Amino acid sequence: MAGAFVSVTPVVVCVITACKTEKEYASTNVMTLPENWLYGGNFIQAWNQANMATAFRNSLVILVFVLLGSVLTGSMLAYILNRFKFLGNGLIRNLFLFAAMLPGIAMQVSVYQLMYEFHLINTLTGYIILMMGTDVISIYIFIQFFENIPLSLDESAIMDGCTYFGVFFRVLMPLLKPAIITVMILKGVGTYNEYYMANLYLQDKNRLVTVATSLYKFTGPLGSQYNYICAGVIITLLPALFVFIFCQKQIYSGLTQGAVKG
């Protein structure tokens, strides 16, 4: 009960602050209730000034391509590593594990240099490739699921004339639904909330703004406009809230099966 109260307190403070007028925000503390709960001036100002229409469009494009790319590359790599025994298989797995253990900040100089050499800085394409390329966890999730799918399914499909691509896309891919949902939840939440790399590699804050970086406009050397920031935070929460309400059955099912498998 106490944990739930602590968890929702920041959201409650955001709602209270977002519903205050400029005068109320300047003259009251954060827990003082607003006079008019239906005051929407902060939401309009946050939407327009932070260019949130462009931010949502860019974040949607990034999410779609990152999730598709992560699911396809992660599942294909896991299929190869799990089903085919070849020289270097164990080395590749260990390299993935080693890469996952490295702190991201330690590789930023070399990653930035690579992005610069390939002219991928300040482009959505470069940021999408970067977000897909840093996903080692999804590969291990798919490997865990492949280990619970019997090899006899592959052998039966090949005896019926199926190619390796056919085995993967027509036989195994449908069985990976819980793993795909788990990867999409973990990767989707991480991508939607990602701030550091978006701020570093998407430097045009008008054209390439994302949901996570859009509210940065309300901070400055003279102070932060928290009434607009809180209104913007509430706006950014709404899509995730709708997705959770309409897909909670699939989310719980995917996470539960993802925890059991392996």
Side-chain angles (χ1 to χ4, degrees), residues 5-200:
F5 178 77
V6 171
S7 299
V8 300
T9 298
V11 180
V12 173
V13 171
C14 263
V15 173
I16 291 174
T17 306
C19 293
K20 288 181 178 179
T21 63
E22 286 273 359
K23 185 178 179 181
E24 288 179 283
Y25 169 68
S27 59
T28 59
N29 62 52
V30 294
M31 296 307 292
T32 303
L33 299 181
E35 294 179 3
N36 180 12
W37 285 95
L38 299 179
Y39 176 71
N42 293 330
F43 294 92
I44 297 172
Q45 187 71 16
W47 179 270
N48 293 330
Q49 195 171 334
N51 199 12
M52 297 194 77
T54 304
F56 274 110
R57 185 195 64 199
N58 289 338
S59 291
L60 179 63
V61 171
I62 291 168
L63 264 179
V64 169
F65 282 99
V66 168
L67 292 182
L68 279 176
S70 295
V71 168
L72 281 177
T73 57
S75 58
M76 286 180 175
L77 279 170
Y79 172 63
I80 293 171
L81 291 174
N82 181 258
R83 290 303 203 248
F84 299 93
K85 306 303 177 189
F86 55 89
L87 185 63
N89 188 309
L91 176 63
I92 293 173
R93 292 188 186 217
N94 290 331
L95 286 176
F96 276 131
L97 182 62
F98 178 71
M101 294 171 64
L102 286 175
I105 195 69
M107 298 182 288
Q108 280 305 309
V109 174
S110 54
V111 171
Y112 191 91
Q113 188 65 31
L114 285 172
M115 294 283 285
Y116 176 79
E117 294 294 336
F118 287 109
H119 304 288
L120 292 175
I121 293 177
N122 218 19
T123 65
L124 280 183
T125 305
Y127 181 68
I128 289 170
I129 293 172
L130 185 66
M131 291 303 295
M132 285 192 299
T134 54
D135 191 16
V136 179
I137 301 300
S138 67
I139 297 172
Y140 276 95
I141 291 175
F142 283 120
I143 287 177
Q144 293 290 327
F145 270 76
F146 274 119
E147 288 179 352
N148 289 278
I149 299 175
L151 277 170
S152 56
L153 282 178
D154 304 39
E155 295 166 353
S156 300
I158 290 173
M159 289 180 67
D160 289 338
C162 213
T163 63
Y164 286 120
F165 282 100
V167 172
F168 177 76
F169 284 106
R170 297 170 62 184
V171 178
L172 299 179
M173 201 70 172
L175 300 177
L176 293 176
K177 184 180 175 183
I180 292 172
I181 293 174
T182 304
V183 168
M184 290 181 72
I185 293 168
L186 297 176
K187 192 68 180 177
V189 171
T191 303
Y192 188 74
N193 294 328
E194 203 285 321
Y195 174 79
Y196 176 75
M197 286 195 289
N199 190 45
L200 182 63

